[in-house]
Every structure is written in structure tokens, then in C-alpha cells.
Amino acid sequence: MCSLKLSLLSTSAKFLGVTLDSKLNFNEHITNITNKATASLMQCRKAVGPTWGLTPKTCSWIYKAIIRPILTYCCSVWIRSTLTNMNATKLRRVQALALRIMTGAMPSTPFISLNQLTNTTDIIFHLQGESAKGSERLRAYGNLSRERLPPIKGTIKAHTTINNDFMAELDIPSNAERDLTVPTLNLEQNFTTTTPGDHSNSYREQLQNTIDSTPSDSITCYTDGSKTDEGCGAGFIITTNNNDTTLHEGSYRLPDYCTVFQAELTAITEACTHLTSNNNKHIIIWTDSLSSIQAITTLNIKSRTVIECLNALNHLGTTNTLELRWIAAHTERTTEQQSN
């Protein structure tokens, strides 16, 4: 008889950095990441002594920027495993080791005391927050599956239900539209942009002369967005004849949760929407938001607001010569104050 070597099936497999075990309790994954993080910390420990070596600030940066991401990677999937005391203790021990290296505390110092001394969030709470943020990103992309509530008492909840419970505790509207969207490539641009670049001082010095020398038949638009304690808003003013003739003014109240960045982009979008009736015109749109111009011209866009603004600019640029320029705040006092 020929001898055959029978290989046993593995009880676990690694997929995209996450260890999947046969029972899907992720105990083995927790063991793997804590061992990896501990080994990395022990290498750092060689560079730290009671009175010499890396400063506590540097040790804190190493832990939060290098070690802790090892523990939080893909935690939206395995967050359920942190509900057991065994896994929670493994994770807390890693953070406690990092904080002892940082502070020089005694090995008997409790976890809670170390967190208080260093003003560091408990690792389990941090994981819950990272898991909730990951779930919200998936929900914005439309890739988060909705799990039904367990029909029988004692049924184990999956990670989707746990993450939804975390989000419910934060009181974030579940039906609110998210600005995050699936990454979109920016391959079309029917307009030109002008920014200071590396010559900021000279650009600012020539800015007023550039505005004054604008051809009288050009259409000039100034946009602005702002946010105060009273609310968030966007506005624009459209002029011609070198700012002597006002063609239109518009202002909009935005939801309070909008950022200044979103308000600036909304102002540009609304201005483009109003200008779509023009054809074969030279249109210059001035904005004091350099970040908006950078976001519009980037290759990979992940914001709905940026995509809407880009589409509005491209649509307007198909029938007009369109320029998007950066302007320092309050350079042209008359139009800038009206836009504000």
C-alpha cells in the first residue's frame, strides 16, 4: 500500500490582514495583533530609560501613530470580540505597556490610573469610536448591510448591529445625507485655475492691479462662505464693467452642521448655476478659499460637495471661457463686503 500524507484543514485563515477563525469569534485575531503590537513596543522600549532616551511626547506619538493603528485596523469587523473580558484585557495590556514606557510608572499601576495620568482614552472606547466611524464611511458609500435584530433572546449580535448601536448612542441622524461619497476621478476640467503657488507675496501685491485691469465686458463673480455661532451661509455677487455694474446678488442659509469649506464650495456652485444662461462670455470667479480650489483640481475626489461644484464649473465652462481665481480676503473691499 502506498503511504499517503493527510493534511488537516486549518481552523483559521487570514484575509486582508484579518484572521478569520472557524467560530468567527476573532479571538485568534486579537491574539495576533496584540502580540505584534507588543513586539513593536518592546523594540521601542530599548530606546527609553528612567532618566534617558526618548521623551514622553515622542513615546506618545509612537504609540498613537504606529502602535495603536495595529490594534484598530479593520475594527468595524471584529468589534464584537471586545465585549469579552479576555480580549478586552489583552488590548488594555498593550496600551498599559505603552503608557508605562511613556511615564516610567510601576508595573502594578492600574489601567485606569495610566489613562488618567496621560490623558489617553481607554483602548476599548477608542476602538468603539473607530468602529463607528468606519461604519459611517461604509454607510456613506452605500456598502453597509443592515442586519435584522436578533429574533431570539441570547442570539449573538453581529458587528453591524453593534456598530449601529454605537451610532445610536451618539445621536447622529441616520437619514442625514453624508458628504462622503465613493472616490471619483477628476479627468475633465473645462476651466482654468489661478493660485499664488510659490509666489504668494508677489501674487498679493499684483492682485489689486489684476482686478482693476479686468476687461469691461468680462463677467466677474465674487463668492464667499462663512460660519459663526449664529449659523452657516454662502453668498455671491456678479458684476461687470470692471465691478461698476452689479448684475445679481445671492445669499443662502445652510444647515448649522455645514463647515466653512462646504459653504465656500456651495457659494461657487450657486454662482455657476445662476451664470449658466450666459454663452460665449469671459467669466472670472474669485474665491478666497484656497482649499476649495485645491479640492476641485485634485485627481481623486471623495466629497459630494466638491463633485457638485466641479460639475457646475464644467457645465458653465463648456459654453464660456471660465476662470477660477484665488483672491485674498477683503482685497476688493466693495465687492468682498457685499459678498460677505
Side-chain angles (χ1 to χ4, degrees):
M1 296 180 63
C2 59
S3 59
L4 297 177
K5 294 183 179 180
L6 299 178
S7 58
L8 299 178
L9 295 177
S10 175
T11 58
S12 63
K14 181 175 286 189
F15 181 71
L16 297 178
V18 178
T19 303
L20 306 173
D21 54 79
S22 58
K23 296 182 180 180
L24 286 181
N25 54 24
F26 295 99
N27 291 341
E28 185 174 346
H29 177 73
I30 297 293
T31 301
N32 291 341
I33 61 175
T34 52
N35 289 341
K36 181 179 179 180
T38 301
S40 300
L41 277 174
M42 296 307 293
Q43 294 296 323
C44 298
R45 192 174 187 177
K46 298 177 181 179
V48 181
T51 58
W52 56 271
L54 300 177
T55 63
K57 184 177 180 180
T58 303
C59 293
S60 176
W61 178 87
I62 291 175
Y63 170 67
K64 294 180 180 179
I66 301 176
I67 305 301
R68 194 163 65 178
I70 298 175
L71 303 178
T72 60
Y73 173 73
C74 209
C75 60
S76 298
V77 174
W78 51 267
I79 189 64
R80 176 170 55 86
S81 62
T82 62
L83 299 178
T84 63
N85 292 330
M86 178 184 68
N87 289 330
T89 301
K90 289 181 180 179
L91 293 166
R92 288 193 173 106
R93 283 175 178 169
V94 175
Q95 177 162 298
L97 175 61
L99 299 185
R100 290 190 185 101
I101 295 174
M102 186 190 313
T103 60
M106 298 294 291
S108 59
T109 307
F111 298 157
I112 297 178
S113 300
L114 288 170
N115 294 337
Q116 291 291 334
L117 287 172
T118 58
N119 194 25
T120 304
T121 305
D122 183 82
I123 185 61
I124 302 302
F125 294 153
H126 180 75
L127 286 170
Q128 291 175 355
E130 292 298 309
S131 175
K133 288 191 290 186
S135 297
E136 278 304 292
R137 284 193 292 270
L138 291 174
R139 182 177 298 174
Y141 293 153
N143 296 329
L144 181 65
S145 60
R146 298 294 186 97
E147 180 200 12
R148 295 181 179 179
L149 294 176
I152 302 175
K153 184 178 180 180
T155 304
I156 298 177
K157 291 184 179 181
H159 60 279
T160 51
T161 298
I162 295 175
N163 289 325
N164 288 334
D165 292 342
F166 292 157
M167 299 309 301
E169 293 176 1
L170 296 176
D171 195 24
I172 296 177
S174 58
N175 297 326
E177 185 178 359
R178 267 61 174 175
D179 187 57
L180 184 67
T181 186
V182 178
T184 303
L185 290 177
N186 179 12
L187 302 177
E188 181 183 5
Q189 188 170 307
N190 299 328
F191 57 93
T192 60
T193 58
T194 304
T195 57
D198 297 332
H199 309 285
S200 178
N201 293 332
S202 60
Y203 183 90
R204 290 173 180 268
E205 292 174 357
Q206 300 174 6
L207 197 53
Q208 190 62 57
N209 294 331
T210 302
I211 296 173
D212 294 337
S213 61
T214 302
S216 59
D217 59 342
S218 298
I219 298 177
T220 307
C221 177
Y222 298 87
T223 65
D224 192 34
S226 61
K227 183 173 184 178
T228 63
D229 294 337
E230 298 177 356
C232 184
F236 64 87
I237 179 172
I238 302 173
T239 66
T240 189
N241 195 20
N242 205 356
N243 297 327
D244 290 336
T245 304
T246 300
L247 299 179
H248 185 74
E249 299 179 26
S251 60
Y252 305 90
R253 174 66 184 269
L254 302 178
D256 294 339
Y257 54 78
C258 289
T259 63
V260 177
F261 174 70
Q262 292 173 321
E264 296 280 2
L265 290 168
T266 302
I268 300 174
T269 303
E270 295 298 334
C272 291
T273 302
H274 184 80
L275 290 167
T276 51
S277 59
N278 295 279
N279 292 308
N280 300 321
K281 298 288 186 179
H282 179 215
I283 301 176
I284 303 174
I285 299 178
W286 293 94
T287 176
D288 61 357
S289 175
L290 184 59
S291 60
S292 297
I293 299 178
Q294 293 172 341
I296 292 169
T297 55
T298 190
L299 178 62
N300 199 8
I301 302 176
K302 302 179 182 179
S303 169
R304 294 180 188 272
T305 308
V306 176
I307 293 175
E308 292 174 359
C309 186
L310 176 63
N311 292 337
L313 287 167
N314 282 330
H315 179 67
L316 182 61
T318 55
T319 56
N320 300 275
T321 302
L322 180 61
E323 296 184 54
L324 180 63
R325 299 179 180 178
W326 179 81
I327 183 174
H330 307 291
T331 299
E332 175 58 54
R333 293 188 178 275
T334 303
T335 53
E336 185 70 19
Q337 286 176 354
Q338 293 179 9
S339 178
N340 287 337

